[in-house]
């Protein structure tokens, strides 16, 4: 498939057209952003690690019956994916309290959440991704009521699969963010799953092995991503 013009450049990935309108190319860059894009740095190897990490997770989820946009790895930093209409909301599931939940509600960082908490956020950097609920999504037409149900169902299915995958590798899946889109009428998982969009702690030491290392200036960011990849068996 031929790579055509750039369609969109996000904070960490760019999207390119192909000669087939059903497919686009996701290009993972080394750019690493935090605080709604206020801080951006290049971290060497990040594009390649996240591209391969994401491919591994998307294929794992597809085998578990979760529809995703992922088609195949094209090279170190690029993947071919289905060309979806993205739904502009982020779906977050939290198994353990951390991050914005702790800041918002004053609960203890590290508290186990049973049952897990689901939250929707509007994708809008200028508004700092405000939290929204089903009513906002339907009334403002960001997604249909059916799509909302499907996004929640798929996000929890992902939780069951990935909690176990990471637990078996001695890791706690603290929380994560997913994005969905519509492809030929179906809601399917899009964007990426990598340590940029989730929190992963070592089960024994509770060491952070995700983007919080970047947000909090802890260093060793890519080394931590590679450690997680090695533990779950991502071929890097
Ligand atoms: O910041 P907060 O605690 O709400 O984030 C919850 C989870 O969603 C974290 O794993 C974070 O990395 C992810 N997230 C993301 N992109 C955003 C907001 C949150 O990947 N824009």
């Amino acid at each position: 498939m031929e790579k055509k013009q750039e369609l969109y450049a996000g904070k960490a990935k760019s999207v390119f057209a192909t000669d087939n309108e059903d497919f686009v190319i996701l290009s993972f860059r080394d750019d690493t952003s935090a605080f709604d894009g206020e801080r951006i740095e290049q971290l060497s190897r990040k594009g390649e690690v996240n591209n391969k990490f994401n491919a591994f997770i998307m294929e794992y989820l597809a085998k578990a019956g979760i529809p995703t946009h992922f088609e195949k790895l094209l090279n170190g930093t690029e993947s071919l994916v289905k060309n979806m209409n993205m739904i502009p909301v982020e779906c977050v599931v939290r198994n353990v309290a951390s991050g914005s939940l702790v800041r918002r509600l004053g609960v203890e960082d590290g508290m186990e959440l049973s049952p897990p908490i689901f939250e929707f956020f509007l994708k809008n950097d200028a508004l700092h991704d405000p939290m929204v609920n089903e009513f906002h999504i339907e009334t403002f037409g960001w997604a249909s009521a059916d799509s909302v149900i499907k996004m929640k169902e798929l996000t929890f299915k992902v939780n069951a699969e990935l909690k176990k995958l990471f637990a078996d590798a001695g890791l706690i899946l603290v929380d994560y963010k997913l994005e969905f889109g519509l492809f030929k009428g179906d809601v399917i998982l899009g964007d990426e799953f990598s340590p940029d969009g989730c929190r992963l702690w070592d089960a024994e030491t509770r060491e952070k092995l995700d983007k919080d290392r970047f947000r909090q200036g802890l260093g060793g960011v890519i080394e931590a991503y590679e450690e997680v990849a090695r533990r779950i068996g991502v071929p890097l």
Side-chain angles (χ1 to χ4, degrees):
M1 211 165 293
E2 204 189 322
K3 185 174 173 183
K4 301 267 206 182
Q5 79 280 10
E6 185 175 80
L7 298 172
Y8 173 80
K11 293 192 288 287
K13 298 189 290 302
S14 303
V15 181
F16 293 86
T18 69
D19 49 11
N20 182 334
E21 66 176 25
D22 280 345
F23 298 98
V24 292
I25 292 170
L26 270 192
S27 177
F28 289 71
R29 308 194 311 269
D30 286 343
D31 295 331
T32 311
S33 77
F35 314 115
D36 301 319
E38 273 171 35
R39 198 172 127 217
I40 297 183
E41 283 174 32
Q42 270 75 45
L43 294 180
S44 173
R45 306 197 300 285
K46 197 194 68 138
E48 182 154 1
V49 172
N50 278 4
N51 184 39
K52 292 177 177 172
F53 197 106
N54 176 63
F56 178 90
I57 296 284
M58 291 282 170
E59 283 178 345
Y60 186 89
L61 294 175
K63 279 193 202 119
I66 294 156
T68 87
H69 69 158
F70 182 79
E71 288 288 315
K72 62 174 180 178
L73 272 176
L74 293 175
N75 55 53
T77 56
E78 292 181 322
S79 289
L80 186 69
V81 300
K82 295 189 181 80
N83 185 14
M84 305 186 294
N85 281 321
M86 292 304 291
I87 296 171
V89 298
E90 302 182 335
C91 299
V92 169
V93 161
R94 302 175 187 275
N95 297 304
V96 175
S98 200
S100 73
L101 181 78
V102 169
R103 289 196 297 276
R104 241 181 296 128
L105 302 180
V107 296
E108 191 192 340
D109 198 288
M111 175 192 174
E112 200 179 316
L113 303 170
S114 180
I117 289 173
F118 182 102
E119 296 170 339
F120 283 118
F121 296 91
L122 176 66
K123 250 180 98 73
N124 187 321
D125 279 340
L127 297 177
H128 305 291
D129 294 349
M131 186 192 273
V132 295
N133 66 29
E134 280 96 327
F135 290 87
H136 301 105
I137 295 173
E138 205 185 333
T139 298
F140 295 120
W142 298 323
S144 69
D146 283 351
S147 294
V148 166
I149 291 169
K150 195 76 199 171
M151 285 194 287
K152 280 203 281 192
E153 180 196 314
L154 290 173
T155 303
F156 277 112
K157 241 176 145 174
V158 167
N159 200 37
E161 293 299 329
L162 296 190
K163 242 166 71 168
K164 177 157 185 344
L165 172 74
F166 289 118
D168 289 346
L171 297 161
I172 301 169
L173 178 59
V174 171
D175 56 28
Y176 58 92
K177 181 264 302 182
L178 301 180
E179 293 181 29
F180 294 88
L182 288 165
F183 182 73
K184 300 188 190 292
D186 290 327
V187 174
I188 64 174
L189 178 61
D191 193 48
E192 71 178 280
F193 191 103
S194 74
D196 265 3
C198 66
R199 290 193 172 93
L200 290 162
W201 294 351
D202 181 275
E204 294 224 326
T205 63
R206 298 219 148 192
E207 186 188 5
K208 297 176 196 300
L209 297 170
D210 55 64
K211 199 174 169 183
D212 271 351
R213 298 200 72 84
F214 176 72
R215 294 186 188 102
Q216 298 175 11
L218 300 174
V221 181
I222 299 311
E223 290 75 9
Y225 289 21
E226 287 169 333
E227 165 69 11
V228 173
R230 189 190 59 72
R231 284 205 214 174
I232 62 170
V234 179
L236 286 184

